[in-house]
Amino acid sequence: MTFVSDLESVNFRTEFLYLHMRNMFWRDLILLRSPLDVSQAATPKMSGSILRPEELPEIRHLHLFRDMTQASFETLMASSYAQNFPQGLEIIRQGDPADFLHIVLEGSVELFAQGAGRECTMAVVRPVSTFILAASIRDAPYLMSARTLERTRIILVPAPDLRAMFRRDTEFAVSVINELAACYRSVVRSAKTLKLRNSRERVASYLLRQSLLSGGATSYTLPVEKRLLASYLGMTSENLSRTLRTLEADGIKMDGARVIITDREKLTALAQLDRLIDGPDAFSGQSGSGLPAAEQ
Amino acid sequence: MTFVSDLESVNFRTEFLYLHMRNMFWRDLILLRSPLDVSQAATPKMSGSILRPEELPEIRHLHLFRDMTQASFETLMASSYAQNFPQGLEIIRQGDPADFLHIVLEGSVELFAQGAGRECTMAVVRPVSTFILAASIRDAPYLMSARTLERTRIILVPAPDLRAMFRRDTEFAVSVINELAACYRSVVRSAKTLKLRNSRERVASYLLRQSLLSGGATSYTLPVEKRLLASYLGMTSENLSRTLRTLEADGIKMDGARVIITDREKLTALAQLDRLIDGPDAFSGQSGSGLPAAEQ
DNA sequence: AAGAAAACTTGATCGAGATCAAAGTGCCGG
DNA sequence: CCGGCACTTTGATCTCGATCAAGTTTTCTT
């Protein structure tokens, strides 16, 4: 039963180990589900599995949890667990039953999909936000897999508690409705981008949108590796690399992961940003289907 | 003020007329919003704008409305309108404010998206189901446009009434949550198909999935025109036509809009259906993002 | 039933983007 | 500080799917 703390130091490599470890992990969490058990489990070895008091306000601040009663919030948190994961760990495999709503507190998580022998990035989730709300509500299998991109701390809210809660707390139900509607719209936007824009347009609009997200910065750092960005935008990294190069004729200059907008007017003309695809309420989506905002 | 009944006989052609008519239409509906006004407006000329009593059970039967109290249901319906539209009319333009939840009672509606000078089909909605739930809940602009594919009867439920209702009726709130979560998952599936499968795989899996939807029929009729199917699958109609032709080597035979599965085993091997993309709960989605089931 | 307008098919060609291959670059651990 | 590994870039080539251009069939209109 030392695997939980081991997680933080060991770099699991083989597929077999991943699966084995994950099975143990879920089973143990489930065995410990009641609040009482959690506190009993609060030995040094299980230190990863209790919420720290200072984390609660950050969670409470999320749209999803902002409007519920304090009592409801505390009940939900009392049945939740925190867990730290090392970098590069697949914490969710698509197809598995969705037992928990996940909240990223530190680190970052890539949501990706597999199929037809391929794999693609669907979103990257940064603190503080939730993911796979829909699956946990429908009590259905995950449609996406998730892996940590760095050392990551996650809160796990049991799906049954979640479902019980929005029946008891109307304000929470309304929050869930709003969150789901926002997520839905976010994926629709992303489907529209895939169907309506070619790869050059997707890159250009992404770059300009990121600049606007950083308050119109002329220069910013890409929030994710180019490899991930390419996959998210539905292209190969070779193609992204070449596209970025050719965009130097249209107002963009790259310097490593740094984007410098040299001619905003030209870029704006090219990107053809669309209010319905690129904002403004696309920005609010926490976990719908997007990449995090860029750092300045 | 005779335009409402005119709608059914006149075939509007020009973009200008479309817009003009639509603007009048919305404005008038809004002016007539309270139930009292509706009944006053129930002159022969406005006959399209009241619900027929026999339609209520059909609506009530939808997942979305099934679990709410009878009183809530009646209240919601009392503030709703029915409207008949002729074929080929754009009833929603993307970007407009979402004032109503739409319920298709007869006919069919294409949801499509425009941008970057292109256009693509996102879904086709058949009776009895709802569409644009998310936009009306968020009080946000529509992300998709909608046009009738034939003469279509639609119920319009005012968005503010909808939002008021799920605050008052918890069971309804839960239904909305479930519906939105299902819609979300449906779009994610469709995004996965776009990103992970090439066009041949999309066609093959679509054809096999339709067969399974019709209870494993060896022969069925495509539920929509090939033109629309192509756009929905993210390809040109020329390419769809050619792909269908080449699939004759893999267990499919086309005869007009009729699909005949000649070698199910071969097709199954090719289509590589994925539980997470192609079912089973993909079937339940009423209005998420898909095409209707095929007729046998 | 005739004519017109869509929808669909087929062929020829083109090009965006994928794939394959090989450097080049940066980052992390020892 | 060095070595290794993953990320990135660049080049060459290929392929899938778009585009353009006729035809053919079906459907709608008159």
Side-chain angles (χ1 to χ4, degrees):
Chain A
M1 281 289 287
T2 62
F3 65 92
V4 172
S5 49
D6 281 349
L7 275 187
E8 299 181 18
S9 51
V10 179
N11 224 343
F12 293 92
R13 286 286 166 209
T14 71
E15 198 61 21
F16 172 74
L17 271 178
Y18 274 38
L19 276 172
H20 182 58
M21 199 261 347
R22 289 186 60 246
N23 287 338
M24 288 178 64
F25 171 60
W26 291 131
R27 195 177 309 122
D28 279 283
L29 272 185
I30 288 158
L31 289 175
L32 296 171
R33 242 184 51 63
S34 84
L36 182 64
D37 281 329
V38 171
S39 53
Q40 284 179 345
T43 65
K45 282 194 172 174
M46 294 294 284
S47 65
S49 58
I50 337 180
L51 277 68
R52 295 190 282 252
E54 67 272 23
E55 292 171 340
L56 293 176
E58 299 185 60
I59 299 170
R60 179 74 158 150
H61 185 261
L62 289 171
H63 284 286
L64 190 57
F65 300 112
R66 185 179 289 175
D67 297 326
M68 66 200 308
T69 68
Q70 181 63 22
S72 302
F73 180 69
E74 282 167 8
T75 307
L76 214 50
M77 288 303 112
S79 58
S80 302
Y81 313 83
Q83 189 61 62
N84 297 318
F85 298 98
Q87 186 197 63
L89 189 69
E90 188 174 308
I91 54 176
I92 287 175
R93 164 152 301 198
Q94 64 175 38
D96 285 351
D99 297 315
F100 299 95
L101 170 70
H102 289 57
I103 309 174
V104 184
L105 278 188
E106 299 167 19
S108 55
V109 175
E110 176 194 3
L111 301 182
F112 63 103
Q114 294 147 308
R118 271 149 276 188
E119 173 178 316
C120 70
T121 303
M122 303 294 281
V124 171
V125 187
R126 284 272 165 78
V128 179
S129 44
T130 61
F131 63 95
I132 45 120
L133 176 61
S136 54
I137 279 173
R138 301 264 344 173
D139 196 15
Y142 295 115
L143 293 180
M144 301 184 256
S145 300
R147 70 166 74 92
T148 54
L149 292 174
E150 55 195 306
R151 194 178 165 290
T152 297
R153 182 167 172 83
I154 289 180
I155 307 291
L156 302 160
V157 185
D161 300 62
L162 201 70
R163 289 193 291 267
M165 190 50 75
F166 59 62
R167 288 183 168 277
R168 282 172 42 199
D169 186 328
T170 302
E171 284 307 314
F172 182 52
V174 172
S175 297
V176 171
I177 287 173
N178 276 302
E179 180 79 10
L180 283 172
C183 289
Y184 171 80
R185 288 170 62 85
S186 170
V187 197
V188 169
R189 285 172 210 272
S190 123
K192 282 178 69 170
T193 296
L194 283 173
K195 277 190 157 183
L196 294 171
R197 302 209 253 231
N198 61 30
S199 65
R200 193 154 198 271
E201 293 165 334
R202 291 201 294 276
V203 174
S205 60
Y206 174 82
L207 292 177
L208 181 55
R209 193 168 67 235
Q210 285 301 311
S211 159
L212 297 176
L213 271 169
S214 328
T218 10
S219 162
Y220 62 88
T221 305
L222 289 177
V224 295
E225 287 173 351
K226 287 184 186 165
R227 186 178 58 88
L228 287 180
L229 177 57
S231 177
Y232 173 71
L233 293 175
M235 58 203 291
T236 59
S237 33
E238 292 97 324
N239 195 25
L240 172 62
S241 185
R242 266 186 275 270
T243 303
L244 287 173
R245 174 54 46 102
T246 70
L247 281 175
E248 295 194 351
D250 293 282
I252 283 291
K253 180 79 179 53
M254 294 299 299
D255 175 24
R258 188 144 202 89
V259 182
I260 301 145
I261 297 180
T262 53
D263 186 341
R264 179 172 298 268
E265 205 166 320
K266 212 164 185 176
L267 179 64
T268 306
L270 179 74
Q272 288 290 352
L273 284 202
D274 180 335
R275 174 175 62 99
L276 297 177
I277 303 181
D278 304 292
D281 83 54
F283 301 175
S284 68
Q286 300 180 53
S287 57
S289 122
L291 299 183
E295 299 151 39
Q296 188 111 2
Chain B
M1 281 290 287
T2 62
F3 66 91
V4 172
S5 47
D6 281 349
L7 274 189
E8 299 179 18
S9 52
V10 179
N11 223 343
F12 292 90
R13 287 286 166 209
T14 71
E15 199 62 21
F16 172 74
L17 270 177
Y18 274 39
L19 278 171
H20 182 56
M21 199 264 344
R22 288 187 59 247
N23 287 339
M24 289 178 63
F25 172 60
W26 292 132
R27 196 178 306 122
D28 279 283
L29 272 185
I30 289 158
L31 288 174
L32 295 170
R33 242 184 51 63
S34 84
L36 182 63
D37 281 328
V38 171
S39 52
Q40 281 180 345
T43 64
K45 280 190 173 175
M46 294 294 284
S47 64
S49 56
I50 339 179
L51 276 69
R52 296 191 282 251
E54 69 271 24
E55 293 171 340
L56 292 176
E58 299 185 59
I59 300 171
R60 179 74 159 149
H61 186 261
L62 289 171
H63 284 286
L64 190 56
F65 300 113
R66 186 178 289 176
D67 296 327
M68 66 200 307
T69 69
Q70 181 64 20
S72 301
F73 180 68
E74 282 168 9
T75 306
L76 213 51
M77 289 302 112
S79 58
S80 302
Y81 313 84
Q83 188 61 62
N84 297 318
F85 297 97
Q87 186 195 66
L89 189 69
E90 188 175 307
I91 56 177
I92 287 175
R93 163 152 303 197
Q94 64 177 37
D96 286 351
D99 297 316
F100 300 94
L101 170 69
H102 289 57
I103 309 173
V104 183
L105 279 188
E106 300 166 17
S108 55
V109 174
E110 176 194 2
L111 300 183
F112 63 103
Q114 294 147 309
R118 272 150 277 188
E119 173 178 315
C120 70
T121 302
M122 304 293 282
V124 170
V125 187
R126 285 272 163 79
V128 178
S129 45
T130 60
F131 63 96
I132 46 124
L133 176 61
S136 53
I137 278 173
R138 302 257 356 166
D139 197 14
Y142 295 116
L143 293 180
M144 300 184 255
S145 299
R147 69 165 76 91
T148 54
L149 292 174
E150 55 196 304
R151 195 178 165 290
T152 297
R153 183 168 171 83
I154 289 179
I155 307 291
L156 301 160
V157 186
D161 299 61
L162 202 69
R163 289 193 291 266
M165 190 51 75
F166 60 63
R167 288 184 168 276
R168 283 173 40 198
D169 186 327
T170 302
E171 284 307 314
F172 182 52
V174 172
S175 298
V176 171
I177 287 173
N178 276 302
E179 180 79 10
L180 283 172
C183 288
Y184 171 81
R185 287 171 62 86
S186 169
V187 197
V188 169
R189 285 172 211 271
S190 119
K192 282 178 70 170
T193 297
L194 283 173
K195 276 190 157 182
L196 294 172
R197 303 210 253 230
N198 62 28
S199 65
R200 191 153 200 271
E201 294 164 332
R202 291 200 294 275
V203 174
S205 60
Y206 174 82
L207 292 176
L208 181 55
R209 193 167 67 237
Q210 285 301 311
S211 160
L212 297 176
L213 273 170
S214 329
T218 359
S219 163
Y220 61 88
T221 305
L222 290 177
V224 296
E225 286 174 351
K226 288 184 186 163
R227 186 179 57 90
L228 287 181
L229 177 58
S231 178
Y232 173 71
L233 293 174
M235 57 202 292
T236 59
S237 32
E238 293 96 323
N239 195 24
L240 172 61
S241 187
R242 265 185 276 269
T243 303
L244 287 174
R245 174 55 45 101
T246 69
L247 281 175
E248 295 194 351
D250 293 281
I252 282 291
K253 181 78 177 55
M254 295 299 299
D255 175 24
R258 188 143 202 91
V259 182
I260 302 145
I261 297 180
T262 55
D263 186 341
R264 179 172 298 270
E265 205 166 321
K266 211 164 185 177
L267 180 63
T268 306
L270 178 74
Q272 289 289 354
L273 283 203
D274 180 336
R275 175 175 63 100
L276 297 177
I277 303 181
D278 305 292
D281 85 53
F283 301 175
S284 68
Q286 299 181 56
S287 58
S289 125
L291 299 183
E295 302 151 38
Q296 188 111 3

